[in-house]
mmCIF file of all heavy atoms in Angstrom:
data_model
loop_
_atom_site.group_PDB
_atom_site.id
_atom_site.type_symbol
_atom_site.label_atom_id
_atom_site.label_comp_id
_atom_site.label_asym_id
_atom_site.label_seq_id
_atom_site.Cartn_x
_atom_site.Cartn_y
_atom_site.Cartn_z
ATOM 1 N N GLU A 1 -4.687 -5.085 140.824
ATOM 2 C CA GLU A 1 -4.202 -3.715 141.010
ATOM 3 C C GLU A 1 -5.285 -2.783 141.512
ATOM 4 O O GLU A 1 -5.028 -1.864 142.291
ATOM 5 C CB GLU A 1 -3.621 -3.189 139.692
ATOM 6 C CG GLU A 1 -2.937 -1.843 139.809
ATOM 7 C CD GLU A 1 -2.285 -1.404 138.523
ATOM 8 O OE1 GLU A 1 -2.264 -2.204 137.554
ATOM 9 O OE2 GLU A 1 -1.786 -0.255 138.461
ATOM 10 N N HIS A 2 -6.517 -3.038 141.070
ATOM 11 C CA HIS A 2 -7.646 -2.203 141.506
ATOM 12 C C HIS A 2 -8.775 -3.117 142.010
ATOM 13 O O HIS A 2 -9.792 -3.294 141.337
ATOM 14 C CB HIS A 2 -8.150 -1.327 140.355
ATOM 15 C CG HIS A 2 -7.101 -0.420 139.799
ATOM 16 N ND1 HIS A 2 -6.629 0.668 140.490
ATOM 17 C CD2 HIS A 2 -6.424 -0.460 138.615
ATOM 18 C CE1 HIS A 2 -5.712 1.283 139.771
ATOM 19 N NE2 HIS A 2 -5.570 0.622 138.627
ATOM 20 N N PRO A 3 -8.607 -3.690 143.196
ATOM 21 C CA PRO A 3 -9.609 -4.649 143.702
ATOM 22 C C PRO A 3 -10.898 -3.966 144.113
ATOM 23 O O PRO A 3 -10.933 -2.751 144.378
ATOM 24 C CB PRO A 3 -8.902 -5.269 144.907
ATOM 25 C CG PRO A 3 -7.972 -4.204 145.380
ATOM 26 C CD PRO A 3 -7.503 -3.498 144.144
ATOM 27 N N LEU A 4 -11.960 -4.772 144.199
ATOM 28 C CA LEU A 4 -13.285 -4.266 144.561
ATOM 29 C C LEU A 4 -13.590 -4.410 146.034
ATOM 30 O O LEU A 4 -14.110 -3.495 146.676
ATOM 31 C CB LEU A 4 -14.361 -5.001 143.769
ATOM 32 C CG LEU A 4 -14.440 -4.771 142.278
ATOM 33 C CD1 LEU A 4 -15.524 -5.655 141.677
ATOM 34 C CD2 LEU A 4 -14.729 -3.306 141.978
ATOM 35 N N PHE A 5 -13.306 -5.612 146.600
ATOM 36 C CA PHE A 5 -13.734 -5.848 147.977
ATOM 37 C C PHE A 5 -13.015 -7.031 148.597
ATOM 38 O O PHE A 5 -12.452 -7.890 147.909
ATOM 39 C CB PHE A 5 -15.245 -6.090 148.050
ATOM 40 C CG PHE A 5 -15.702 -7.399 147.457
ATOM 41 C CD1 PHE A 5 -15.679 -8.573 148.205
ATOM 42 C CD2 PHE A 5 -16.170 -7.471 146.149
ATOM 43 C CE1 PHE A 5 -16.092 -9.781 147.671
ATOM 44 C CE2 PHE A 5 -16.596 -8.679 145.602
ATOM 45 C CZ PHE A 5 -16.556 -9.836 146.370
ATOM 46 N N ILE A 6 -13.061 -7.059 149.919
ATOM 47 C CA ILE A 6 -12.790 -8.244 150.730
ATOM 48 C C ILE A 6 -13.893 -8.331 151.776
ATOM 49 O O ILE A 6 -14.266 -7.310 152.370
ATOM 50 C CB ILE A 6 -11.414 -8.180 151.426
ATOM 51 C CG1 ILE A 6 -10.283 -8.352 150.405
ATOM 52 C CG2 ILE A 6 -11.300 -9.266 152.496
ATOM 53 C CD1 ILE A 6 -8.895 -8.349 151.038
ATOM 54 N N VAL A 7 -14.419 -9.521 152.002
ATOM 55 C CA VAL A 7 -15.369 -9.730 153.087
ATOM 56 C C VAL A 7 -14.887 -10.923 153.903
ATOM 57 O O VAL A 7 -14.581 -11.981 153.355
ATOM 58 C CB VAL A 7 -16.813 -9.926 152.567
ATOM 59 C CG1 VAL A 7 -16.894 -11.068 151.569
ATOM 60 C CG2 VAL A 7 -17.770 -10.147 153.719
ATOM 61 N N PHE A 8 -14.757 -10.725 155.216
ATOM 62 C CA PHE A 8 -14.172 -11.706 156.130
ATOM 63 C C PHE A 8 -15.167 -11.942 157.260
ATOM 64 O O PHE A 8 -15.553 -11.013 157.962
ATOM 65 C CB PHE A 8 -12.860 -11.143 156.683
ATOM 66 C CG PHE A 8 -11.997 -12.123 157.437
ATOM 67 C CD1 PHE A 8 -10.636 -12.158 157.204
ATOM 68 C CD2 PHE A 8 -12.517 -12.991 158.384
ATOM 69 C CE1 PHE A 8 -9.809 -13.040 157.904
ATOM 70 C CE2 PHE A 8 -11.713 -13.878 159.075
ATOM 71 C CZ PHE A 8 -10.357 -13.902 158.827
ATOM 72 N N THR A 9 -15.569 -13.196 157.443
ATOM 73 C CA THR A 9 -16.494 -13.579 158.514
ATOM 74 C C THR A 9 -15.799 -14.563 159.440
ATOM 75 O O THR A 9 -15.075 -15.448 158.976
ATOM 76 C CB THR A 9 -17.759 -14.234 157.935
ATOM 77 O OG1 THR A 9 -18.330 -13.377 156.944
ATOM 78 C CG2 THR A 9 -18.790 -14.486 159.028
ATOM 79 N N ALA A 10 -16.007 -14.415 160.743
ATOM 80 C CA ALA A 10 -15.373 -15.309 161.716
ATOM 81 C C ALA A 10 -16.400 -15.759 162.742
ATOM 82 O O ALA A 10 -17.169 -14.942 163.269
ATOM 83 C CB ALA A 10 -14.213 -14.611 162.413
ATOM 84 N N TYR A 11 -16.404 -17.056 163.022
ATOM 85 C CA TYR A 11 -17.319 -17.664 163.982
ATOM 86 C C TYR A 11 -16.550 -18.198 165.193
ATOM 87 O O TYR A 11 -15.468 -18.755 165.051
ATOM 88 C CB TYR A 11 -18.075 -18.833 163.340
ATOM 89 C CG TYR A 11 -19.136 -18.435 162.355
ATOM 90 C CD1 TYR A 11 -18.809 -18.169 161.033
ATOM 91 C CD2 TYR A 11 -20.465 -18.323 162.748
ATOM 92 C CE1 TYR A 11 -19.788 -17.804 160.122
ATOM 93 C CE2 TYR A 11 -21.454 -17.963 161.843
ATOM 94 C CZ TYR A 11 -21.111 -17.704 160.530
ATOM 95 O OH TYR A 11 -22.079 -17.332 159.630
ATOM 96 N N ALA A 12 -17.158 -18.032 166.358
ATOM 97 C CA ALA A 12 -16.718 -18.712 167.583
ATOM 98 C C ALA A 12 -15.260 -18.466 167.918
ATOM 99 O O ALA A 12 -14.557 -19.368 168.392
ATOM 100 C CB ALA A 12 -16.991 -20.214 167.472
ATOM 101 N N VAL A 13 -14.787 -17.247 167.682
ATOM 102 C CA VAL A 13 -13.418 -16.901 168.052
ATOM 103 C C VAL A 13 -13.453 -15.805 169.114
ATOM 104 O O VAL A 13 -14.296 -14.908 169.059
ATOM 105 C CB VAL A 13 -12.593 -16.436 166.833
ATOM 106 C CG1 VAL A 13 -12.400 -17.588 165.861
ATOM 107 C CG2 VAL A 13 -13.230 -15.247 166.135
ATOM 108 N N PRO A 14 -12.540 -15.861 170.096
ATOM 109 C CA PRO A 14 -12.492 -14.821 171.127
ATOM 110 C C PRO A 14 -11.818 -13.559 170.598
ATOM 111 O O PRO A 14 -10.669 -13.239 170.935
ATOM 112 C CB PRO A 14 -11.682 -15.486 172.247
ATOM 113 C CG PRO A 14 -10.784 -16.441 171.539
ATOM 114 C CD PRO A 14 -11.580 -16.942 170.356
ATOM 115 N N MET A 15 -12.537 -12.844 169.765
ATOM 116 C CA MET A 15 -11.994 -11.685 169.071
ATOM 117 C C MET A 15 -13.140 -10.744 168.770
ATOM 118 O O MET A 15 -14.271 -11.180 168.514
ATOM 119 C CB MET A 15 -11.322 -12.147 167.772
ATOM 120 C CG MET A 15 -10.611 -11.082 166.985
ATOM 121 S SD MET A 15 -9.871 -11.821 165.485
ATOM 122 C CE MET A 15 -8.835 -10.472 164.931
ATOM 123 N N SER A 16 -12.893 -9.453 168.787
ATOM 124 C CA SER A 16 -13.939 -8.485 168.467
ATOM 125 C C SER A 16 -13.909 -8.139 166.990
ATOM 126 O O SER A 16 -12.889 -8.314 166.301
ATOM 127 C CB SER A 16 -13.747 -7.205 169.284
ATOM 128 O OG SER A 16 -12.600 -6.503 168.835
ATOM 129 N N ALA A 17 -15.013 -7.622 166.506
ATOM 130 C CA ALA A 17 -15.066 -7.149 165.125
ATOM 131 C C ALA A 17 -14.098 -5.992 164.909
ATOM 132 O O ALA A 17 -13.521 -5.845 163.827
ATOM 133 C CB ALA A 17 -16.494 -6.734 164.777
ATOM 134 N N ILE A 18 -13.912 -5.173 165.936
ATOM 135 C CA ILE A 18 -12.969 -4.055 165.835
ATOM 136 C C ILE A 18 -11.556 -4.584 165.603
ATOM 137 O O ILE A 18 -10.821 -4.098 164.742
ATOM 138 C CB ILE A 18 -13.029 -3.190 167.108
ATOM 139 C CG1 ILE A 18 -14.385 -2.493 167.206
ATOM 140 C CG2 ILE A 18 -11.903 -2.164 167.113
ATOM 141 C CD1 ILE A 18 -14.596 -1.756 168.511
ATOM 142 N N SER A 19 -11.156 -5.605 166.357
ATOM 143 C CA SER A 19 -9.830 -6.187 166.175
ATOM 144 C C SER A 19 -9.680 -6.773 164.782
ATOM 145 O O SER A 19 -8.630 -6.629 164.135
ATOM 146 C CB SER A 19 -9.582 -7.262 167.228
ATOM 147 O OG SER A 19 -9.575 -6.722 168.528
ATOM 148 N N LEU A 20 -10.712 -7.459 164.305
ATOM 149 C CA LEU A 20 -10.673 -8.043 162.968
ATOM 150 C C LEU A 20 -10.525 -6.954 161.916
ATOM 151 O O LEU A 20 -9.784 -7.105 160.942
ATOM 152 C CB LEU A 20 -11.944 -8.864 162.727
ATOM 153 C CG LEU A 20 -11.942 -9.785 161.513
ATOM 154 C CD1 LEU A 20 -10.872 -10.856 161.645
ATOM 155 C CD2 LEU A 20 -13.313 -10.434 161.338
ATOM 156 N N LYS A 21 -11.198 -5.838 162.136
ATOM 157 C CA LYS A 21 -11.103 -4.715 161.206
ATOM 158 C C LYS A 21 -9.683 -4.165 161.146
ATOM 159 O O LYS A 21 -9.123 -3.944 160.062
ATOM 160 C CB LYS A 21 -12.078 -3.626 161.615
ATOM 161 C CG LYS A 21 -12.046 -2.399 160.709
ATOM 162 C CD LYS A 21 -11.474 -1.222 161.426
ATOM 163 C CE LYS A 21 -11.586 0.043 160.584
ATOM 164 N NZ LYS A 21 -11.044 1.222 161.265
ATOM 165 N N PHE A 22 -9.055 -3.995 162.288
ATOM 166 C CA PHE A 22 -7.735 -3.392 162.294
ATOM 167 C C PHE A 22 -6.654 -4.330 161.771
ATOM 168 O O PHE A 22 -5.680 -3.876 161.159
ATOM 169 C CB PHE A 22 -7.386 -2.874 163.689
ATOM 170 C CG PHE A 22 -8.059 -1.567 164.002
ATOM 171 C CD1 PHE A 22 -8.962 -1.468 165.041
ATOM 172 C CD2 PHE A 22 -7.813 -0.429 163.238
ATOM 173 C CE1 PHE A 22 -9.605 -0.276 165.332
ATOM 174 C CE2 PHE A 22 -8.435 0.774 163.510
ATOM 175 C CZ PHE A 22 -9.338 0.856 164.561
ATOM 176 N N VAL A 23 -6.805 -5.627 161.976
ATOM 177 C CA VAL A 23 -5.811 -6.537 161.410
ATOM 178 C C VAL A 23 -5.947 -6.585 159.890
ATOM 179 O O VAL A 23 -4.940 -6.641 159.163
ATOM 180 C CB VAL A 23 -5.898 -7.943 162.049
ATOM 181 C CG1 VAL A 23 -7.120 -8.711 161.599
ATOM 182 C CG2 VAL A 23 -4.632 -8.743 161.729
ATOM 183 N N LEU A 24 -7.175 -6.546 159.356
ATOM 184 C CA LEU A 24 -7.335 -6.477 157.902
ATOM 185 C C LEU A 24 -6.776 -5.167 157.370
ATOM 186 O O LEU A 24 -6.098 -5.141 156.326
ATOM 187 C CB LEU A 24 -8.813 -6.614 157.525
ATOM 188 C CG LEU A 24 -9.113 -6.499 156.022
ATOM 189 C CD1 LEU A 24 -8.414 -7.614 155.237
ATOM 190 C CD2 LEU A 24 -10.616 -6.533 155.766
ATOM 191 N N GLN A 25 -7.031 -4.084 158.073
ATOM 192 C CA GLN A 25 -6.546 -2.764 157.648
ATOM 193 C C GLN A 25 -5.020 -2.753 157.524
ATOM 194 O O GLN A 25 -4.453 -2.141 156.618
ATOM 195 C CB GLN A 25 -7.017 -1.714 158.637
ATOM 196 C CG GLN A 25 -6.849 -0.278 158.174
ATOM 197 C CD GLN A 25 -7.483 0.690 159.145
ATOM 198 O OE1 GLN A 25 -7.245 0.629 160.353
ATOM 199 N NE2 GLN A 25 -8.306 1.579 158.633
ATOM 200 N N GLU A 26 -4.367 -3.452 158.436
ATOM 201 C CA GLU A 26 -2.906 -3.529 158.386
ATOM 202 C C GLU A 26 -2.419 -4.146 157.078
ATOM 203 O O GLU A 26 -1.450 -3.664 156.467
ATOM 204 C CB GLU A 26 -2.402 -4.345 159.574
ATOM 205 C CG GLU A 26 -0.900 -4.524 159.627
ATOM 206 C CD GLU A 26 -0.459 -5.327 160.835
ATOM 207 O OE1 GLU A 26 -1.219 -5.398 161.823
ATOM 208 O OE2 GLU A 26 0.650 -5.889 160.782
ATOM 209 N N TYR A 27 -3.095 -5.201 156.632
ATOM 210 C CA TYR A 27 -2.660 -5.888 155.420
ATOM 211 C C TYR A 27 -3.178 -5.238 154.144
ATOM 212 O O TYR A 27 -2.707 -5.569 153.054
ATOM 213 C CB TYR A 27 -3.054 -7.367 155.484
ATOM 214 C CG TYR A 27 -2.169 -8.118 156.431
ATOM 215 C CD1 TYR A 27 -2.512 -8.261 157.770
ATOM 216 C CD2 TYR A 27 -0.956 -8.637 156.014
ATOM 217 C CE1 TYR A 27 -1.677 -8.908 158.661
ATOM 218 C CE2 TYR A 27 -0.105 -9.296 156.899
ATOM 219 C CZ TYR A 27 -0.479 -9.422 158.221
ATOM 220 O OH TYR A 27 0.355 -10.052 159.103
ATOM 221 N N MET A 28 -4.109 -4.290 154.290
ATOM 222 C CA MET A 28 -4.625 -3.567 153.126
ATOM 223 C C MET A 28 -3.999 -2.177 153.009
ATOM 224 O O MET A 28 -4.474 -1.345 152.247
ATOM 225 C CB MET A 28 -6.148 -3.454 153.225
ATOM 226 C CG MET A 28 -6.868 -4.790 153.180
ATOM 227 S SD MET A 28 -6.699 -5.622 151.594
ATOM 228 C CE MET A 28 -7.846 -4.631 150.632
ATOM 229 N N ALA A 29 -2.940 -1.938 153.754
ATOM 230 C CA ALA A 29 -2.282 -0.626 153.730
ATOM 231 C C ALA A 29 -1.913 -0.245 152.293
ATOM 232 O O ALA A 29 -1.396 -1.063 151.523
ATOM 233 C CB ALA A 29 -1.033 -0.650 154.601
ATOM 234 N N GLY A 30 -2.199 1.010 151.955
ATOM 235 C CA GLY A 30 -1.897 1.503 150.612
ATOM 236 C C GLY A 30 -3.074 1.432 149.670
ATOM 237 O O GLY A 30 -3.017 2.004 148.568
#
């Protein structure tokens, strides 16, 4: 109910850190 953190690391994928941030933000809504 009151989480502390999520840390997500990605290697060798054709994706930017900005994109990774926004997809996580979508699932952390609220």
Side-chain angles (χ1 to χ4, degrees):
E1 187 176 354
H2 301 289
L4 292 177
F5 70 85
I6 289 182
V7 56
F8 191 136
T9 307
Y11 287 84
V13 294
M15 185 180 191
S16 70
I18 293 173
S19 296
L20 193 63
K21 179 249 186 179
F22 282 117
V23 72
L24 178 62
Q25 193 174 50
E26 179 179 338
Y27 286 91
M28 296 294 285

